[in-house]
Amino acid sequence: MNKRENMELIFQHKQPDWIPHLGNDTYGIRDYVVERPIMTTGDDAWGCHWISCPSSLNITHPDGADIKFEDLENWRENINIPDLEKVDFTPMIEEAKAFTNRDEKMIQYVSLNGIFERTHILMGFENALCACMEEPEEFGEMLKAVAEHKIRLFKKVYDIAQPDILVYHDDMATQASQFLNTNFYKKYLFPLYKQIVEAAREMGYKYVMQHSCGRIEKIIPEWLECGFDGWDSVMPCNDLYEIKKEFGDKIVFMPGLDTQGVLGKIGSSRQEIEEMVVRWMNMLASDGTGLIIDATLAYSLNPANEVICLEFIKKHGKPFMDAKKAGIEYIPDLEV
Amino acid sequence: MTKIEEVKAKVEAGKSKLVPGLVQEALDAGNNPQDILDAMVDSMGVVGEKFSTGEIFVPEMLIAAKAMSKGVDVLKPHLAGDGSSKLGTCVIGTVAGDLHDIGKNLVSLMIESAGFDMVDLGVDVPAETFVQAIKDNDNVKIVACSGLLTSTMPALKEAVAAIKASGLTGFKVIVGGAPVTPEYAAEIGADGFAPDAGTAAVKAKELVA
Ligand code: B12
């Protein structure tokens, strides 16, 4: 079985041959051309400024001093939605040339800065959150305009690289709770998410996942109705056992694992990391289905721990599934 | 409903356009400015509690704080004394290497609404800057340090250590942020911890009481 076939089984909620790692098992394409400069200070195609942070592995964050508007009075005049015809996609086209073994490996496209995230990059987070409450209708209009852009962008990227999987990033929550009340999601965000998912499928993306950090557990039922195939990030501030039990047949989980615990901590031992990975495999693939691991440096900020984690997944992803298929508990030989 | 009750209700509902007018009306009706202020502080207490229990979310809390601050603007000239608060000053910042400030800002808003004067040092604040701010400002009673990344938890520890080692006294240090636990707070020598902004304000008041 090749990596594509294995991944296909996961999206069909059947038992794969091994538990895959997203970065390892697929080709990846990102949209730094339009949405966010990566690892370097600069502007995105919206004209928003990003700063690379040396103490966080040079990962970029929006420049809080570069706000395009503070309230919604003149957002239409100030928003500057990128004209994709004028954007130079050459780097992405070049990158896609390396995807030579498409029959064997799927392509995933991680699209940063979803429609809600873009509003807070444009306005500043607090201004955006206040605007949601104070002028929801107008905020909704702005979200619509951003969603239309997203759909145009997804088409463009599809034409360039024909990805199989779209990972749509749009954080919905903090550690403690969702950013906004459920009604706001239902009325203003989810209808647009649904539109985005449907448009993406029509273009040819086979699977659409959403990345959201934080505690989203309370809105999962409504969120699922948007049509997503899976959830990326999957932080443990959610009751993940319960979510797997209740929605395991509908959600493919793509966790960044224990970013704020063992994986993020300096000085975690190899054994602690390995035990953590096995615990997560047992939790989210309790029946052997529905798990892709997406542990990345961008979440844990700890290169040494990530290396151990990846090595372990590569080595133990298959024996874990063999044990599942045999109906026995997987007890790996942990390296000390 | 009395004018003061109306102010209270509208602060809680985050009606920042209405609150200034209502505060003025409450003043015109002969209410004591301190009573009006206390009423607004109370309603922010309610807001903080609803946030802690998950009944409301970040935006509801933000607009309530915004409404209160608009009300306070109207009230300030009428308040007795030099306008500085009776609870003292709180120095707040996000520690070095960390740029997350939404949580820190909310904590700041809530501690301010509880009656402290705030000195906000912003994000990516080195340990020495916290120490300097304690020296530079009068009547510092609380120092609040925020950290949102596992990779900046050591910076949180350094900040607390530097503040404690400075020899300065008369204040308490509180810490918080997504990866911070009460155990970690105790381990690094902080005087207090709170899991969210509403509780942070309660904690700050408790520590100066
Ligand atoms: C929004 C966000 C961002 C925004 C921040 C915008 C801003 N202006 O602050 C942006 C996009 C810029 C960002 C950047 C990054 N982020 Co970020 N971010 C988040 C997210 C989704 C929410 C944080 C938030 O704002 N919460 C809202 C507030 C209200 O909650 P809060 O901060 O927890 O604060 C409350 C309490 O903790 C407490 N509190 C907070 N401070 C204090 C202080 C005191 C004294 C007290 C008593 C209480 C207290 O009260 C607050 C209010 O109730 C979290 C996810 C999460 N689970 O937290 C990730 C998260 C924190 N980010 C993460 C990462 C990795 C990053 C980046 C490195 C990379 C990236 N993903 O882009 C960069 C780092 C930049 C840097 N050097 O700091 C990781 C950290 C993992 C780890 N190893 O610890 C998280 C956990 C996401 C994840 N999947 O793992 N991020």
Side-chain angles (χ1 to χ4, degrees):
Chain A
M1 181 174 302
N2 64 31
K3 290 177 174 173
R4 169 177 287 278
E5 289 159 347
N6 192 59
M7 199 60 99
E8 196 70 58
L9 287 174
I10 290 175
F11 282 106
Q12 290 165 15
H13 288 274
K14 292 184 183 143
Q15 291 189 330
D17 252 21
W18 66 90
I19 303 287
H21 181 275
L22 184 73
N24 209 35
D25 280 49
T26 59
Y27 293 116
I29 196 149
R30 295 170 297 177
D31 55 17
Y32 48 84
V33 174
V34 174
E35 297 290 354
R36 173 173 183 171
I38 292 188
M39 315 304 272
T40 152
T41 295
D43 289 355
D44 61 27
W46 298 70
C48 297
H49 194 56
W50 291 76
I51 299 172
S52 145
C53 179
S55 56
S56 290
L57 308 167
N58 294 325
I59 294 170
T60 49
H61 62 88
D63 178 354
D66 180 38
I67 285 177
K68 304 299 178 198
F69 42 95
E70 286 181 7
D71 56 41
L72 298 179
E73 208 168 317
N74 297 310
W75 70 268
R76 286 182 179 79
E77 290 72 35
N78 295 319
I79 190 166
N80 188 26
I81 296 178
D83 176 352
L84 297 181
E85 295 316 311
K86 295 204 178 110
V87 173
D88 180 11
F89 281 90
T90 313
M92 205 182 263
I93 296 167
E94 287 303 314
E95 204 175 3
K97 285 185 184 156
F99 306 157
T100 47
N101 243 339
R102 289 166 179 263
D103 292 343
E104 306 215 330
K105 241 168 126 171
M106 285 195 188
I107 296 170
Q108 39 92 5
Y109 161 40
V110 171
S111 174
L112 300 173
N113 303 333
I115 59 175
F116 182 61
E117 290 181 334
R118 177 53 65 183
T119 65
H120 54 76
I121 295 162
L122 290 165
M123 305 181 70
F125 213 123
E126 278 118 343
N127 291 328
L129 291 174
C130 287
C132 289
M133 292 291 104
E134 291 168 346
E135 294 177 82
E137 293 302 326
E138 201 55 17
F139 196 87
E141 289 304 308
M142 178 167 61
L143 287 172
K144 255 186 228 166
V146 182
E148 283 162 14
H149 152 81
K150 275 284 168 191
I151 291 172
R152 287 192 293 273
L153 175 63
F154 294 164
K155 178 80 177 82
K156 192 91 193 169
V157 176
Y158 194 82
D159 290 343
I160 292 170
Q162 300 85 49
D164 302 275
I165 308 169
L166 169 64
V167 186
Y168 166 73
H169 273 235
D170 212 2
D171 277 347
M172 298 191 285
T174 79
Q175 185 91 357
S177 66
Q178 60 214 50
F179 283 133
L180 302 156
N181 64 60
T182 305
N183 281 338
F184 192 92
Y185 282 102
K186 275 178 24 190
K187 187 151 180 215
Y188 298 101
L189 278 152
F190 291 166
L192 294 172
Y193 285 179
K194 190 157 191 260
Q195 214 173 312
I196 288 172
V197 174
E198 281 167 5
R201 281 197 213 289
E202 214 160 286
M203 291 168 204
Y205 293 92
K206 282 173 90 171
Y207 306 112
V208 189
M209 314 189 75
Q210 179 169 343
H211 164 102
S212 176
C213 289
R215 188 166 174 201
I216 67 163
E217 59 192 10
K218 292 217 176 86
I219 40 173
I220 286 180
E222 286 90 357
W223 168 77
L224 264 175
E225 283 172 23
C226 305
F228 289 105
D229 298 286
W231 171 26
D232 179 57
S233 179
V234 191
M235 291 183 68
C237 45
N238 298 277
D239 184 346
L240 297 178
Y241 284 101
E242 198 51 41
I243 295 173
K244 171 72 183 178
K245 207 160 80 193
E246 203 170 334
F247 305 105
D249 57 337
K250 299 187 186 72
I251 303 176
V252 170
F253 296 94
M254 209 152 78
L257 305 177
D258 192 11
T259 49
Q260 292 168 304
V262 172
L263 211 49
K265 220 171 61 198
I266 301 159
S268 294
S269 71
R270 178 174 281 268
Q271 191 171 349
E272 280 174 312
I273 296 169
E274 295 182 346
E275 274 167 2
M276 181 274 294
V277 178
V278 177
R279 194 170 66 242
W280 277 73
M281 292 204 282
N282 276 319
M283 174 167 70
L284 293 174
S286 45
D287 54 355
T289 74
L291 177 63
I292 302 166
I293 288 172
D294 185 26
T296 81
L297 276 183
Y299 302 152
S300 74
L301 302 173
N302 196 317
N305 291 357
E306 274 315 332
V307 169
I308 296 175
C309 179
L310 185 60
E311 278 172 10
F312 186 80
I313 295 161
K314 274 194 202 165
K315 194 162 153 200
H316 293 263
K318 173 123 185 15
F320 173 85
M321 281 311 303
D322 291 343
K324 277 286 161 211
K325 286 176 185 168
I328 51 176
E329 192 191 344
Y330 182 57
I331 303 172
D333 274 338
L334 296 184
E335 290 173 36
V336 188
Chain B
M1 206 187 270
T2 65
K3 276 290 162 228
I4 286 201
E5 282 166 350
E6 242 178 281
V7 169
K8 220 170 149 173
K10 295 298 180 220
V11 166
E12 228 183 287
K15 301 290 180 197
S16 54
K17 291 210 176 93
L18 298 180
V19 169
L22 285 170
V23 168
Q24 191 57 54
E25 285 173 33
L27 284 168
D28 295 345
N31 286 290
N32 179 340
Q34 189 60 46
D35 292 344
I36 305 174
L37 183 64
D38 290 345
M40 290 198 283
V41 171
D42 282 353
S43 43
M44 285 310 289
V46 175
V47 168
E49 213 175 287
K50 284 191 180 164
F51 180 74
S52 304
T53 56
E55 200 180 315
I56 59 166
F57 303 99
V58 176
E60 287 89 341
M61 194 167 186
L62 279 174
I63 57 170
K66 191 166 150 188
M68 166 154 178
S69 123
K70 295 252 152 92
V72 171
D73 287 346
V74 178
L75 213 51
K76 265 228 166 104
H78 303 275
L79 285 168
D82 59 358
S84 75
S85 82
K86 42 184 193 238
L87 292 179
T89 300
C90 170
V91 170
I92 191 166
T94 302
V95 297
D98 204 322
L99 301 154
H100 292 84
D101 66 0
I102 304 162
K104 185 263 297 166
N105 293 349
L106 268 187
V107 170
S108 176
L109 285 171
M110 290 308 287
I111 294 185
E112 180 170 29
S113 338
F116 287 84
D117 288 326
M118 300 306 295
V119 175
D120 189 340
L121 304 174
V123 296
D124 193 8
V125 179
E128 316 82 68
T129 309
F130 280 105
V131 175
Q132 195 57 44
I134 303 168
K135 290 183 189 156
D136 291 349
N137 291 283
D138 290 335
N139 199 24
V140 174
K141 293 287 180 205
I142 296 284
V143 182
C145 310
S146 176
L148 257 285
L149 298 168
T150 47
S151 58
T152 56
M153 283 168 80
L156 201 56
K157 184 174 175 176
E158 271 165 43
V160 176
I163 294 165
K164 294 277 173 180
S166 68
L168 298 163
T169 54
F171 56 84
K172 302 279 188 202
V173 183
I174 59 174
V175 296
V180 182
T181 58
E183 294 77 32
Y184 186 74
E187 185 190 317
I188 63 174
D191 304 303
F193 161 84
D196 60 68
T199 320
V202 175
K203 188 87 215 169
K205 270 168 99 171
E206 201 180 287
L207 284 170
V208 300

